[in-house]
Amino acid sequence: MALLNKLEAMLAGGQDNALLRFSLGSEYLKAQQPAQAVEHFRKCLQHDPKYSAAWKLLGQALTDAGQREEAVKVYEEGIRVAEAKGDKQAVKEMGVFLKRLLK
């Protein structure tokens, strides 16, 4: 929780960028608080819509929050973004998560 508090303090202090939002989302996901994670991953993607890892973890957070339909849409969009960037690993990982959701 110490890292989470530090990151929140940075945000409260006026810093706001894709990496900070991604880090906050990741920490909230680890803390099993998917609703807060979703909020930060969405803000991350507002800063940088091509952030493949944020698409992947947003999908995971939505899945953890029980929002399966929204997670499917996020993975589909994330796969498109990652393919356009040539980020093959992210495409592969999101493809696996998407298939699990569609079963």
PDB file of all heavy atoms in Angstrom, residues 1-25:
ATOM      1  N   MET A   1       0.819  -1.219   0.000  1.00  0.00           N
ATOM      2  CA  MET A   1       0.000   0.000   0.000  1.00  0.00           C
ATOM      3  C   MET A   1       0.854   1.272   0.000  1.00  0.00           C
ATOM      4  O   MET A   1       0.380   2.313  -0.407  1.00  0.00           O
ATOM      5  CB  MET A   1      -0.922   0.020   1.227  1.00  0.00           C
ATOM      6  CG  MET A   1      -2.273  -0.621   1.027  1.00  0.00           C
ATOM      7  SD  MET A   1      -3.128  -0.095  -0.462  1.00  0.00           S
ATOM      8  CE  MET A   1      -4.761  -0.573  -0.059  1.00  0.00           C
ATOM      9  N   ALA A   2       2.093   1.152   0.435  1.00  0.00           N
ATOM     10  CA  ALA A   2       2.960   2.341   0.483  1.00  0.00           C
ATOM     11  C   ALA A   2       3.147   2.935  -0.908  1.00  0.00           C
ATOM     12  O   ALA A   2       3.070   4.147  -1.072  1.00  0.00           O
ATOM     13  CB  ALA A   2       4.301   1.993   1.106  1.00  0.00           C
ATOM     14  N   LEU A   3       3.369   2.076  -1.899  1.00  0.00           N
ATOM     15  CA  LEU A   3       3.544   2.554  -3.267  1.00  0.00           C
ATOM     16  C   LEU A   3       2.271   3.226  -3.771  1.00  0.00           C
ATOM     17  O   LEU A   3       2.324   4.293  -4.392  1.00  0.00           O
ATOM     18  CB  LEU A   3       3.947   1.410  -4.204  1.00  0.00           C
ATOM     19  CG  LEU A   3       4.127   1.787  -5.674  1.00  0.00           C
ATOM     20  CD1 LEU A   3       5.149   2.911  -5.848  1.00  0.00           C
ATOM     21  CD2 LEU A   3       4.529   0.575  -6.485  1.00  0.00           C
ATOM     22  N   LEU A   4       1.142   2.624  -3.472  1.00  0.00           N
ATOM     23  CA  LEU A   4      -0.139   3.187  -3.883  1.00  0.00           C
ATOM     24  C   LEU A   4      -0.318   4.589  -3.304  1.00  0.00           C
ATOM     25  O   LEU A   4      -0.713   5.522  -4.015  1.00  0.00           O
ATOM     26  CB  LEU A   4      -1.270   2.265  -3.432  1.00  0.00           C
ATOM     27  CG  LEU A   4      -2.645   2.463  -4.037  1.00  0.00           C
ATOM     28  CD1 LEU A   4      -2.603   2.569  -5.547  1.00  0.00           C
ATOM     29  CD2 LEU A   4      -3.558   1.321  -3.632  1.00  0.00           C
ATOM     30  N   ASN A   5       0.026   4.752  -2.028  1.00  0.00           N
ATOM     31  CA  ASN A   5      -0.081   6.071  -1.386  1.00  0.00           C
ATOM     32  C   ASN A   5       0.847   7.084  -2.037  1.00  0.00           C
ATOM     33  O   ASN A   5       0.474   8.238  -2.242  1.00  0.00           O
ATOM     34  CB  ASN A   5       0.212   5.963   0.114  1.00  0.00           C
ATOM     35  CG  ASN A   5      -0.853   5.169   0.848  1.00  0.00           C
ATOM     36  OD1 ASN A   5      -1.982   5.043   0.380  1.00  0.00           O
ATOM     37  ND2 ASN A   5      -0.499   4.614   1.986  1.00  0.00           N
ATOM     38  N   LYS A   6       2.065   6.650  -2.383  1.00  0.00           N
ATOM     39  CA  LYS A   6       3.018   7.540  -3.059  1.00  0.00           C
ATOM     40  C   LYS A   6       2.479   7.989  -4.416  1.00  0.00           C
ATOM     41  O   LYS A   6       2.563   9.157  -4.774  1.00  0.00           O
ATOM     42  CB  LYS A   6       4.340   6.804  -3.272  1.00  0.00           C
ATOM     43  CG  LYS A   6       5.460   7.275  -2.414  1.00  0.00           C
ATOM     44  CD  LYS A   6       6.733   6.542  -2.774  1.00  0.00           C
ATOM     45  CE  LYS A   6       7.503   6.294  -1.489  1.00  0.00           C
ATOM     46  NZ  LYS A   6       8.695   5.513  -1.674  1.00  0.00           N
ATOM     47  N   LEU A   7       1.941   7.022  -5.165  1.00  0.00           N
ATOM     48  CA  LEU A   7       1.404   7.336  -6.492  1.00  0.00           C
ATOM     49  C   LEU A   7       0.202   8.276  -6.386  1.00  0.00           C
ATOM     50  O   LEU A   7       0.089   9.224  -7.169  1.00  0.00           O
ATOM     51  CB  LEU A   7       1.010   6.045  -7.219  1.00  0.00           C
ATOM     52  CG  LEU A   7       2.169   5.105  -7.582  1.00  0.00           C
ATOM     53  CD1 LEU A   7       1.633   3.754  -8.046  1.00  0.00           C
ATOM     54  CD2 LEU A   7       3.071   5.715  -8.633  1.00  0.00           C
ATOM     55  N   GLU A   8      -0.674   8.016  -5.428  1.00  0.00           N
ATOM     56  CA  GLU A   8      -1.832   8.900  -5.217  1.00  0.00           C
ATOM     57  C   GLU A   8      -1.376  10.305  -4.834  1.00  0.00           C
ATOM     58  O   GLU A   8      -1.961  11.290  -5.268  1.00  0.00           O
ATOM     59  CB  GLU A   8      -2.777   8.335  -4.146  1.00  0.00           C
ATOM     60  CG  GLU A   8      -3.636   7.177  -4.619  1.00  0.00           C
ATOM     61  CD  GLU A   8      -4.752   7.572  -5.587  1.00  0.00           C
ATOM     62  OE1 GLU A   8      -4.881   8.752  -5.977  1.00  0.00           O
ATOM     63  OE2 GLU A   8      -5.511   6.659  -5.966  1.00  0.00           O
ATOM     64  N   ALA A   9      -0.309  10.393  -4.034  1.00  0.00           N
ATOM     65  CA  ALA A   9       0.223  11.707  -3.633  1.00  0.00           C
ATOM     66  C   ALA A   9       0.770  12.453  -4.845  1.00  0.00           C
ATOM     67  O   ALA A   9       0.589  13.674  -4.959  1.00  0.00           O
ATOM     68  CB  ALA A   9       1.307  11.533  -2.569  1.00  0.00           C
ATOM     69  N   MET A  10       1.414  11.724  -5.750  1.00  0.00           N
ATOM     70  CA  MET A  10       1.927  12.356  -6.975  1.00  0.00           C
ATOM     71  C   MET A  10       0.770  12.913  -7.804  1.00  0.00           C
ATOM     72  O   MET A  10       0.843  14.042  -8.298  1.00  0.00           O
ATOM     73  CB  MET A  10       2.727  11.345  -7.798  1.00  0.00           C
ATOM     74  CG  MET A  10       4.049  10.952  -7.167  1.00  0.00           C
ATOM     75  SD  MET A  10       4.810   9.509  -7.962  1.00  0.00           S
ATOM     76  CE  MET A  10       5.260  10.185  -9.551  1.00  0.00           C
ATOM     77  N   LEU A  11      -0.300  12.132  -7.915  1.00  0.00           N
ATOM     78  CA  LEU A  11      -1.473  12.581  -8.673  1.00  0.00           C
ATOM     79  C   LEU A  11      -2.095  13.801  -8.004  1.00  0.00           C
ATOM     80  O   LEU A  11      -2.406  14.790  -8.667  1.00  0.00           O
ATOM     81  CB  LEU A  11      -2.489  11.441  -8.784  1.00  0.00           C
ATOM     82  CG  LEU A  11      -3.716  11.710  -9.642  1.00  0.00           C
ATOM     83  CD1 LEU A  11      -3.327  11.956 -11.100  1.00  0.00           C
ATOM     84  CD2 LEU A  11      -4.690  10.541  -9.555  1.00  0.00           C
ATOM     85  N   ALA A  12      -2.239  13.734  -6.689  1.00  0.00           N
ATOM     86  CA  ALA A  12      -2.817  14.854  -5.932  1.00  0.00           C
ATOM     87  C   ALA A  12      -1.939  16.097  -6.036  1.00  0.00           C
ATOM     88  O   ALA A  12      -2.438  17.224  -5.991  1.00  0.00           O
ATOM     89  CB  ALA A  12      -2.997  14.461  -4.464  1.00  0.00           C
ATOM     90  N   GLY A  13      -0.630  15.882  -6.221  1.00  0.00           N
ATOM     91  CA  GLY A  13       0.316  16.990  -6.342  1.00  0.00           C
ATOM     92  C   GLY A  13       0.335  17.623  -7.718  1.00  0.00           C
ATOM     93  O   GLY A  13       1.135  18.521  -7.978  1.00  0.00           O
ATOM     94  N   GLY A  14      -0.506  17.139  -8.607  1.00  0.00           N
ATOM     95  CA  GLY A  14      -0.615  17.779  -9.913  1.00  0.00           C
ATOM     96  C   GLY A  14       0.003  17.004 -11.064  1.00  0.00           C
ATOM     97  O   GLY A  14      -0.128  17.413 -12.210  1.00  0.00           O
ATOM     98  N   GLN A  15       0.699  15.906 -10.775  1.00  0.00           N
ATOM     99  CA  GLN A  15       1.244  15.094 -11.861  1.00  0.00           C
ATOM    100  C   GLN A  15       0.119  14.245 -12.437  1.00  0.00           C
ATOM    101  O   GLN A  15      -0.676  13.698 -11.695  1.00  0.00           O
ATOM    102  CB  GLN A  15       2.344  14.175 -11.350  1.00  0.00           C
ATOM    103  CG  GLN A  15       3.612  14.889 -10.946  1.00  0.00           C
ATOM    104  CD  GLN A  15       4.714  13.890 -10.626  1.00  0.00           C
ATOM    105  OE1 GLN A  15       4.981  12.985 -11.391  1.00  0.00           O
ATOM    106  NE2 GLN A  15       5.340  14.089  -9.480  1.00  0.00           N
ATOM    107  N   ASP A  16       0.065  14.172 -13.742  1.00  0.00           N
ATOM    108  CA  ASP A  16      -0.940  13.328 -14.374  1.00  0.00           C
ATOM    109  C   ASP A  16      -0.445  12.980 -15.766  1.00  0.00           C
ATOM    110  O   ASP A  16      -0.345  13.843 -16.634  1.00  0.00           O
ATOM    111  CB  ASP A  16      -2.298  14.037 -14.439  1.00  0.00           C
ATOM    112  CG  ASP A  16      -3.436  13.081 -14.791  1.00  0.00           C
ATOM    113  OD1 ASP A  16      -3.177  11.864 -14.954  1.00  0.00           O
ATOM    114  OD2 ASP A  16      -4.574  13.552 -14.919  1.00  0.00           O
ATOM    115  N   ASN A  17      -0.073  11.723 -15.954  1.00  0.00           N
ATOM    116  CA  ASN A  17       0.397  11.267 -17.260  1.00  0.00           C
ATOM    117  C   ASN A  17       0.072   9.789 -17.413  1.00  0.00           C
ATOM    118  O   ASN A  17      -0.407   9.151 -16.477  1.00  0.00           O
ATOM    119  CB  ASN A  17       1.895  11.558 -17.426  1.00  0.00           C
ATOM    120  CG  ASN A  17       2.724  10.899 -16.338  1.00  0.00           C
ATOM    121  OD1 ASN A  17       2.641   9.701 -16.103  1.00  0.00           O
ATOM    122  ND2 ASN A  17       3.532  11.706 -15.647  1.00  0.00           N
ATOM    123  N   ALA A  18       0.319   9.264 -18.589  1.00  0.00           N
ATOM    124  CA  ALA A  18      -0.035   7.872 -18.886  1.00  0.00           C
ATOM    125  C   ALA A  18       0.663   6.899 -17.947  1.00  0.00           C
ATOM    126  O   ALA A  18       0.033   5.974 -17.425  1.00  0.00           O
ATOM    127  CB  ALA A  18       0.295   7.547 -20.344  1.00  0.00           C
ATOM    128  N   LEU A  19       1.958   7.099 -17.719  1.00  0.00           N
ATOM    129  CA  LEU A  19       2.698   6.156 -16.875  1.00  0.00           C
ATOM    130  C   LEU A  19       2.187   6.169 -15.436  1.00  0.00           C
ATOM    131  O   LEU A  19       2.031   5.102 -14.820  1.00  0.00           O
ATOM    132  CB  LEU A  19       4.200   6.466 -16.909  1.00  0.00           C
ATOM    133  CG  LEU A  19       5.074   5.508 -16.096  1.00  0.00           C
ATOM    134  CD1 LEU A  19       4.914   4.060 -16.560  1.00  0.00           C
ATOM    135  CD2 LEU A  19       6.537   5.936 -16.175  1.00  0.00           C
ATOM    136  N   LEU A  20       1.918   7.352 -14.886  1.00  0.00           N
ATOM    137  CA  LEU A  20       1.399   7.432 -13.519  1.00  0.00           C
ATOM    138  C   LEU A  20       0.037   6.743 -13.428  1.00  0.00           C
ATOM    139  O   LEU A  20      -0.220   5.960 -12.506  1.00  0.00           O
ATOM    140  CB  LEU A  20       1.292   8.890 -13.064  1.00  0.00           C
ATOM    141  CG  LEU A  20       0.698   9.111 -11.666  1.00  0.00           C
ATOM    142  CD1 LEU A  20       1.495   8.369 -10.598  1.00  0.00           C
ATOM    143  CD2 LEU A  20       0.631  10.605 -11.345  1.00  0.00           C
ATOM    144  N   ARG A  21      -0.825   7.006 -14.384  1.00  0.00           N
ATOM    145  CA  ARG A  21      -2.160   6.383 -14.374  1.00  0.00           C
ATOM    146  C   ARG A  21      -2.056   4.860 -14.549  1.00  0.00           C
ATOM    147  O   ARG A  21      -2.791   4.110 -13.903  1.00  0.00           O
ATOM    148  CB  ARG A  21      -3.042   6.982 -15.467  1.00  0.00           C
ATOM    149  CG  ARG A  21      -3.421   8.425 -15.207  1.00  0.00           C
ATOM    150  CD  ARG A  21      -4.296   8.548 -13.971  1.00  0.00           C
ATOM    151  NE  ARG A  21      -4.807   9.905 -13.851  1.00  0.00           N
ATOM    152  CZ  ARG A  21      -5.922  10.224 -13.227  1.00  0.00           C
ATOM    153  NH1 ARG A  21      -6.652   9.305 -12.631  1.00  0.00           N
ATOM    154  NH2 ARG A  21      -6.319  11.477 -13.170  1.00  0.00           N
ATOM    155  N   PHE A  22      -1.123   4.416 -15.408  1.00  0.00           N
ATOM    156  CA  PHE A  22      -0.921   2.976 -15.596  1.00  0.00           C
ATOM    157  C   PHE A  22      -0.447   2.344 -14.283  1.00  0.00           C
ATOM    158  O   PHE A  22      -0.939   1.294 -13.877  1.00  0.00           O
ATOM    159  CB  PHE A  22       0.102   2.715 -16.712  1.00  0.00           C
ATOM    160  CG  PHE A  22       0.350   1.255 -16.941  1.00  0.00           C
ATOM    161  CD1 PHE A  22      -0.534   0.492 -17.684  1.00  0.00           C
ATOM    162  CD2 PHE A  22       1.468   0.631 -16.400  1.00  0.00           C
ATOM    163  CE1 PHE A  22      -0.313  -0.873 -17.885  1.00  0.00           C
ATOM    164  CE2 PHE A  22       1.693  -0.721 -16.595  1.00  0.00           C
ATOM    165  CZ  PHE A  22       0.795  -1.478 -17.341  1.00  0.00           C
ATOM    166  N   SER A  23       0.500   3.005 -13.633  1.00  0.00           N
ATOM    167  CA  SER A  23       1.030   2.496 -12.363  1.00  0.00           C
ATOM    168  C   SER A  23      -0.064   2.429 -11.302  1.00  0.00           C
ATOM    169  O   SER A  23      -0.159   1.443 -10.558  1.00  0.00           O
ATOM    170  CB  SER A  23       2.186   3.380 -11.879  1.00  0.00           C
ATOM    171  OG  SER A  23       3.224   3.396 -12.844  1.00  0.00           O
ATOM    172  N   LEU A  24      -0.879   3.465 -11.214  1.00  0.00           N
ATOM    173  CA  LEU A  24      -2.001   3.463 -10.256  1.00  0.00           C
ATOM    174  C   LEU A  24      -2.972   2.325 -10.559  1.00  0.00           C
ATOM    175  O   LEU A  24      -3.390   1.590  -9.654  1.00  0.00           O
ATOM    176  CB  LEU A  24      -2.734   4.808 -10.291  1.00  0.00           C
ATOM    177  CG  LEU A  24      -2.102   5.914  -9.464  1.00  0.00           C
ATOM    178  CD1 LEU A  24      -2.605   7.281  -9.910  1.00  0.00           C
ATOM    179  CD2 LEU A  24      -2.382   5.708  -7.981  1.00  0.00           C
ATOM    180  N   GLY A  25      -3.327   2.181 -11.826  1.00  0.00           N
ATOM    181  CA  GLY A  25      -4.237   1.102 -12.210  1.00  0.00           C
ATOM    182  C   GLY A  25      -3.675  -0.258 -11.842  1.00  0.00           C
ATOM    183  O   GLY A  25      -4.375  -1.110 -11.293  1.00  0.00           O
TER     184      GLY A  25
END
